[in-house]
Amino acid sequence: MAGCVSRVELSVTCRSLLDRDLGSKSDPLCVVLQDAGGGRWAELDRTERIKNCQNPEFCKKLVVDYYFEKVQKLKFGVYDIDNKSFDLNDDDYLGGIECTLGQVVSSSVFTRPLELKQGKPAGKGTITISAEEIKDTRVLCLEIEARNLDKKDFLGKSDPFLEFYKQNDAGVWQLVYRSEVIKNNLNPCWRKISVPLQTFCGGDFNKPIKVQCADHDSDGSHDLIGTFETNLTQLQKAGDGSAVEFECIHPEKKQKKKSYKNSGIIRIKSCKIETEYSFLDYVMGGCQINFTVGVDFTGSNGDPRSPDSLHYISPDGINEYLIAIWSVGSVVQDYDADKLFPAFGFGAQVPPSWQVSHEFALNFNANNPYCQGIQGIVDAYRQILPQIRLYGPTNFSPIINHVARFAAHSAQQGTASQYFILLIITDGEITDLDQTRQAIVNASKLPMSIIIVGVGEADFKAMEFLDGDNGVLKSLTGEPAARDIVQFVPFRQFKNAPREALSQMVLAEVPKQLVSYYKWQGWPPVKPPEIKKM
């Protein structure tokens, strides 16, 4: 099944958005969510935020996996973002729509009025979505600078940024990339540009490309500095020390002034095409995913014999710990050839010495902590419960460091052959937060991801902090994580949802995390896919 999935790229523009900001226009962002069943929606992707704009054309494309055989219900939401938090609940809602991916894919241009809720229009706001299948996994990398740009600001120089547009089949210019703004500089050098080739020109090296250089104004009324047209064939002449130069022309100035030459020179210093591998490329290319489970046996869970304990096994044989192990493990086990999973407990007093241990094997065999399949983990968990005493403190770092040692050993091989997933199930009262931060920062440089499922009704602020969605996680010494490797999910949100909803939410980040690690290392799949001629 996994081989049949297509990826589609959705371009979003909005018109006449509601104005929620006093004294300025809204700062919109668009998010796409997918129906995860049971009235829950899981976020798939989001665009960038555009400041002071009621008619945004979002540059970042929304990428969605398309399954022909599934009805994929989507919700698009537009928000006015006025803070730095990742959570959208504290931002003004400017309207949204619900539709299916099939509806979007089957219409060349899909436009709908935005609604604040069912039947209540969001003013005159509309959203337009167009879809394109991603067939080409190559990525275009450009290095660009400019010289002698026109001065546009009365008190300072210009604040230039670049926009690239491709001409679609109907002759309309469609935004494909917007650079960062460089403040107060007439000779800017922009950060390296990286755009999927499919997005940039649909893989057509002769497709017309329009480049606009403009002076950024914070109120959204950007001034054009100049523009030129080119195509990828011309851009490719750049590299190996020789740049390609284009005159930046302002059409009105050119008409008015006979002596007008240009409004500056744009120099393409380098133009390279690189291959981008997907999660499936790595898995099909021979990458094994190693799954380890860590179970919290601290006293705050409550006595396992008491029905109000989180470790109490109900008459039908389940509890939240077991459901989490089953739902996550049943998906991950398909990617592990030997189906042998190490499983550990932490925070309990363990026989025969009754010392507190922060990484004991669930099968009590320290030399061989492997359980046969997910059922083996479940059986070991059930057998160990009556034999240990729940205690404390709740230390995560020993088990993270344990898996990290295996991941570090694997990384020394220098190939994309093994990736490690650690599932920690906990009631959330973490004791060694500083050591855990350090352990995660260290692990972010290794081929591993950490999934934390929080059970019970505790305050999970510390877990959300470790997740790093609200900014990069840093160690106590200020060292930032090399990449985001932690995904935290509170189990209570999934109590009444179907089993697969938890695993979908929990594992959503793993493919991105795996690809980001191997890309960072520059390692291709062990057996790279054959490039299909298009």
Side-chain angles (χ1 to χ4, degrees), residues 270-460:
S270 123
C271 173
K272 292 193 183 106
I273 291 171
E274 297 171 358
T275 302
E276 188 121 302
Y277 296 109
S278 70
F279 175 67
L280 290 177
D281 289 335
Y282 283 106
V283 168
M284 292 169 168
C287 183
Q288 287 291 307
I289 293 180
N290 300 281
F291 180 53
T292 304
V293 176
V295 178
D296 179 342
F297 288 109
T298 53
S300 50
N301 282 279
D303 181 345
R305 289 166 303 198
S306 162
D308 55 5
S309 165
L310 292 166
H311 280 296
Y312 175 75
I313 296 178
S314 68
D316 55 359
I318 59 166
N319 63 25
E320 293 186 7
Y321 279 91
L322 285 169
I323 294 171
I325 291 168
W326 264 120
S327 46
V328 178
S330 57
V331 174
V332 174
Q333 68 178 352
D334 290 344
Y335 299 94
D336 188 315
D338 64 12
K339 307 275 186 284
L340 290 171
F341 305 116
F344 298 93
F346 58 91
Q349 292 175 321
V350 181
S353 66
W354 299 106
Q355 291 287 308
V356 173
S357 170
H358 296 296
E359 45 169 319
F360 55 90
L362 283 195
N363 61 8
F364 280 150
N365 184 342
N367 297 322
N368 184 9
Y370 295 91
C371 300
Q372 181 65 56
I374 302 305
Q375 186 63 50
I377 301 177
V378 169
D379 294 343
Y381 170 81
R382 286 191 168 128
Q383 278 161 14
I384 202 174
L385 255 184
Q387 303 180 59
I388 57 174
R389 293 184 196 141
L390 274 57
Y391 207 72
T394 310
N395 291 354
F396 282 11
S397 58
I399 191 164
I400 294 173
N401 291 330
H402 177 101
V403 176
R405 284 193 290 277
F406 285 90
H409 181 71
S410 165
Q412 285 169 353
Q413 298 170 15
T415 60
S417 55
Q418 298 207 41
Y419 194 84
F420 295 78
I421 294 176
L422 168 60
L423 168 65
I424 297 176
I425 314 169
T426 177
D427 72 344
E429 305 286 341
I430 183 168
T431 316
D432 67 337
L433 187 61
D434 292 339
Q435 291 90 333
T436 296
R437 281 164 66 180
Q438 186 63 57
I440 291 170
V441 168
N442 296 346
S444 70
K445 306 183 195 79
L446 298 170
M448 71 180 273
S449 291
I450 301 165
I451 293 163
I452 304 173
V453 174
V455 294
E457 299 300 320
D459 172 13
F460 290 120

Side-chain angles (χ1 to χ4, degrees), residues 79-289:
Y79 290 84
D80 174 22
I81 307 294
D82 286 323
N83 56 36
K84 289 199 167 136
S85 83
F86 189 81
D87 187 8
L88 296 171
N89 290 326
D90 53 3
D91 297 299
D92 287 327
Y93 186 54
L94 301 178
I97 61 160
E98 286 183 30
C99 61
T100 68
L101 187 53
Q103 286 174 307
V104 176
V105 169
S106 57
S107 41
S108 53
V109 177
F110 181 81
T111 301
R112 290 287 182 276
L114 289 166
E115 292 189 328
L116 290 170
K117 54 183 184 204
Q118 189 100 38
K120 186 181 176 191
K124 294 182 176 166
T126 63
I127 185 167
T128 298
I129 305 155
S130 57
E132 203 171 344
E133 186 182 358
I134 301 174
K135 304 189 201 77
D136 196 326
T137 57
R138 290 172 297 174
V139 174
L140 176 68
C141 299
L142 295 169
E143 289 180 44
I144 303 182
E145 63 184 19
R147 284 205 317 262
N148 304 327
L149 294 176
D150 280 359
K151 176 175 172 303
K152 288 285 183 183
D153 290 348
F154 180 61
L155 291 171
K157 299 169 181 164
S158 295
D159 305 323
F161 67 100
L162 297 174
E163 289 185 321
F164 289 77
Y165 294 82
K166 70 178 172 194
Q167 199 168 26
N168 67 17
D169 297 339
V172 176
W173 292 106
Q174 188 178 22
L175 181 68
V176 295
Y177 185 83
R178 183 184 288 124
S179 77
E180 81 277 20
V181 176
I182 295 186
K183 292 275 192 190
N184 213 21
N185 195 331
L186 301 178
N187 299 292
C189 182
W190 287 277
R191 273 200 300 267
K192 184 177 166 185
I193 290 171
S194 193
V195 199
L197 203 61
Q198 175 87 23
T199 307
F200 191 78
C201 61
D204 177 354
F205 285 45
N206 294 314
K207 188 184 272 287
I209 299 292
K210 182 167 76 174
V211 183
Q212 269 184 201
C213 181
D215 169 39
H216 182 271
D217 284 327
S218 55
D219 65 2
S221 62
H222 313 309
D223 300 317
L224 179 68
I225 293 174
T227 180
F228 64 90
E229 282 186 35
T230 182
N231 58 37
L232 188 50
T233 306
Q234 288 180 332
L235 296 175
Q236 275 196 298
K237 292 173 185 162
D240 298 328
S242 67
V244 177
E245 298 194 342
F246 295 93
E247 286 190 293
C248 210
I249 303 296
H250 192 296
E252 287 176 21
K253 282 191 175 180
K254 189 179 179 185
Q255 268 190 324
K256 283 182 187 165
K257 274 190 183 173
K258 280 201 173 153
S259 60
Y260 175 78
K261 272 193 165 166
N262 60 50
S263 295
I265 302 287
I266 306 281
R267 300 182 78 231
I268 315 291
K269 291 192 291 184
S270 123
C271 173
K272 292 193 183 106
I273 291 171
E274 297 171 358
T275 302
E276 188 121 302
Y277 296 109
S278 70
F279 175 67
L280 290 177
D281 289 335
Y282 283 106
V283 168
M284 292 169 168
C287 183
Q288 287 291 307
I289 293 180

